[in-house]
């Protein structure tokens, strides 16, 4: 009540309509442009954790939020290992330039040696023939993490590893932050399925293929921060939390992934400061999502039990402006993917279903598979939800009918790539999902009516893994319809 008198006396109580009206394409685009500018001000043109573009993002968010004089703002420091820079200096196959992708956390190395085919999918030590020793292991993508393959190649004495795709085209990926219990990584690069299977065929047909791989990476212990902003006003015992991640991958500036979520929740935080609220709201800007949900995991792990119990729900926004978008809602009730969230998650999903219905838009479900920062919240029993417009998955025919766009093309063709800049955003989608955030924040900061009480007996959910890998994610993120309009 004190808070109400102090901060609320001149401000109207927030409403969904008013808060939505405060979210404009112009402001969303300006925020996204600011993040791109931070990345492009430096040679690396990235916002990966530890990079100057990422640090500038963090300090900017802190300044923007502090200027509102409505939040208690803090930086939450944590440490991790990060690949600050990395490049393939040379990749030659039989003396000819070849194209490959650098796998994140690859070791440095410079070797010229024959390619040796690894059996099966290279997920077991026994898949690696003695002949890989001193040579370059040629491994198919699939079934286990890239990091396991690279470490097993290293254990078998390989000087480098090439992982080829198990679907058409090339790919980007991460080995996962070291150390890995199985051993040290070797220099590791990715190639397309066409190229990789071509090598395998030649070698099994009796040909010798010699490659030169010269890779240089800089992997360092890194200090980074979550930015946390909690309303000074509102009931702290019935709090709404929401979040987005501030970091990109090394390959690019990460403007859809997840500049869109970052700017989306920031714009809502700015708009909310004009109003009075009944329930407190915490905005979390997580670092190190791309290295395995590091920031959100750190936050939840260091949240005292009583504060954890005060959070009635958590909303996550990771990629909300994909160019070949779908309007997806996390499957909180498990109806589409059989992985449901704690009680309350179904209500959050229903909230967003109503939102898209009212906006006259189709929507679909996306699996609650722990692939983004809601994972650690689910693990401790906090009801969660949020929206998502798509990453590397190809648009289906059904989705093209429901949402427009192009079937057979990735929902975000610039996912984890250099081209994920402001030109990669669908601004109409950005606005629609920005307003969805506003609607949810206005609604839950006003009342939790009709929402289940928190069950604070912590249920560990075995289906959610705190650490993710690109490989595991690829297999666990299948979306399925029915479309629900
Ligand atoms: N978390 C993934 C990334 O940042 C993207 C993603 C978001 C995938 C939400 C699925 C659901 O790369
Ligand atoms: Zn990402
Ligand atoms: Zn992301």
């Amino acid at each position: 009540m004190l808070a109400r008198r102090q901060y609320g006396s001149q401000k109207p109580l927030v409403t969904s309509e008013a808060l939505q009206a405060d979210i404009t394409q112009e402001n969303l685009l300006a925020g996204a442009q600011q993040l791109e500018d931070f990345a492009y001000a430096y040679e690396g043109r990235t916002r990966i954790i530890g990079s100057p573009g990422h640090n500038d993002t963090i300090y900017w968010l802190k300044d923007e939020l502090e200027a509102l004089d409505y939040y208690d703002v803090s930086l939450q420091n944590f440490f991790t290992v990060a690949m600050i820079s990395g490049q393939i200096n040379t990749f030659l196959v039989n003396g000819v330039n070849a194209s490959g992708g650098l796998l994140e956390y690859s070791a440095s190395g410079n070797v010229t040696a024959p390619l040796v085919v690894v059996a099966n999918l290279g997920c077991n030590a026994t898949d690696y023939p003695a002949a890989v020793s001193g040579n370059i292991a040629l491994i198919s993508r699939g079934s286990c993490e890239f990091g396991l393959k690279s470490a097993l190649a290293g254990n078998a004495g390989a000087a480098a590893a090439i992982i080829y795709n198990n679907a058409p085209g090339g790919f980007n990926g991460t080995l996962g932050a070291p150390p890995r219990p199985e051993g040290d990584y070797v220099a590791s690069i990715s190639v397309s399925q066409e190229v990789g299977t071509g090598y395998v065929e030649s070698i099994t047909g009796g040909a010798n293929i010699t490659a030169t791989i010269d890779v240089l990476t800089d992997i360092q212990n890194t200090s980074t921060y979550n930015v946390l902003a909690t309303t000074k006003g509102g009931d702290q015992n019935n709090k709404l939390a929401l979040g987005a991640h501030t970091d990109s991958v090394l390959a690019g500036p990460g403007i859809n992934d997840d500049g869109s979520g970052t700017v989306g929740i920031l714009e809502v935080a700015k708009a909310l400061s004009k109003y009075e609220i009944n329930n407190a709201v915490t905005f979390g800007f997580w670092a190190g999502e791309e290295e395995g949900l590091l920031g959100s995991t750190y936050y939840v792990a260091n949240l005292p039990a009583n504060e954890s119990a005060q959070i009635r729900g958590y909303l996550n926004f990771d990629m909300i402006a994909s160019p070949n978008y779908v309007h997806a809602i996390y499957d909180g009730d498990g109806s589409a993917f059989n992985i449901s969230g704690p009680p309350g998650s179904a209500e959050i999903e229903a909230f967003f279903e109503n939102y898209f219905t009212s906006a006259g838009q189709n929507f679909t479900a996306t699996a609650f598979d722990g692939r983004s920062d809601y994972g650690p919240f689910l693990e401790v029993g906090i009801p969660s939800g949020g929206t998502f417009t798509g990453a590397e998955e190809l648009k289906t025919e059904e989705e093209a009918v429901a949402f427009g766009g192009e079937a057979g093309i990735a929902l975000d063709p610039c996912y984890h790539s250099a081209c994920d800049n402001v030109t990669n955003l669908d601004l109409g989608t950005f606005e629609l999902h920005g307003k969805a955030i506003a609607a949810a924040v206005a609604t839950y900061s006003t009342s939790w009516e009709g929402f289940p009480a928190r069950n604070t007996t912590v249920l560990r959910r075995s289906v959610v893994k705190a650490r993710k890998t690109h490989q595991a994610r690829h297999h666990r993120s299948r979306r399925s319809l029915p479309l629900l309009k």
Side-chain angles (χ1 to χ4, degrees), residues 207-288:
N208 273 320
I209 298 183
T210 296
T212 296
I213 292 179
D214 178 3
V215 160
L216 187 64
T217 60
D218 184 1
I219 295 163
Q220 287 186 12
N221 289 316
T222 302
S223 166
T224 190
Y225 302 91
N226 292 327
V227 184
L228 304 173
T230 297
T231 55
K232 295 177 201 273
D235 179 359
Q236 301 286 337
N237 283 315
N238 286 289
K239 190 160 35 187
L240 170 69
L242 68 160
H245 69 88
T246 57
D247 59 310
S248 73
V249 294
L250 180 63
I255 300 305
N256 186 32
D257 180 16
D258 183 26
S260 62
T262 297
V263 172
I265 71 168
L266 175 66
E267 284 302 311
V268 172
K270 284 159 59 175
L272 189 65
S273 70
K274 303 197 292 188
Y275 303 101
E276 182 174 355
I277 50 175
N278 295 327
N279 297 321
V281 182
T282 292
F283 292 81
F285 297 84
W286 316 120

Side-chain angles (χ1 to χ4, degrees), residues 245 257 289-290 318-319 330 366 369 371-372 374 388 391 415-416 468 473:
H245 69 88
D257 180 16
E289 191 273 352
E290 299 291 4
D318 185 358
M319 307 183 72
Y330 295 126
T366 186
D369 59 5
R371 217 184 128 176
S372 188
Y374 58 83
F388 172 58
Y415 177 65
H416 284 184
K468 60 175 188 177
R473 289 190 279 159

Side-chain angles (χ1 to χ4, degrees), residues 114-118 128 132 135-139 149 153 158-163:
L115 302 190
V116 175
V117 176
V118 169
Y128 293 75
V132 300
N135 296 323
I136 299 170
L138 180 60
I139 314 164
K149 297 175 199 240
I162 296 175
I163 301 178

Side-chain angles (χ1 to χ4, degrees), residues 21-43:
D22 289 332
I23 303 304
T24 66
Q25 269 186 40
E26 196 187 356
N27 290 345
L28 293 168
L29 179 59
Q33 185 64 58
Q34 178 63 77
L35 297 184
E36 184 188 284
D37 291 348
F38 288 143
Y40 287 180
Y42 305 95
E43 214 188 304

Side-chain angles (χ1 to χ4, degrees), residues 120-193:
N120 305 314
L121 297 172
C123 295
N124 291 298
T126 51
D127 293 337
Y128 293 75
V132 300
S133 184
N135 296 323
I136 299 170
L138 180 60
I139 314 164
S140 172
R141 181 182 190 176
S143 181
C144 62
E145 303 84 23
F146 302 134
L148 180 61
K149 297 175 199 240
S150 184
L152 291 176
N155 281 350
I162 296 175
I163 301 178
Y164 60 92
N165 208 349
N166 56 359
F171 67 97
N172 294 308
T174 180
L175 302 176
R180 171 120 206 159
E182 293 84 3
D184 292 339
Y185 297 143
V186 292
S188 303
I189 64 181
S190 64
V191 298
S192 70
Q193 181 179 43

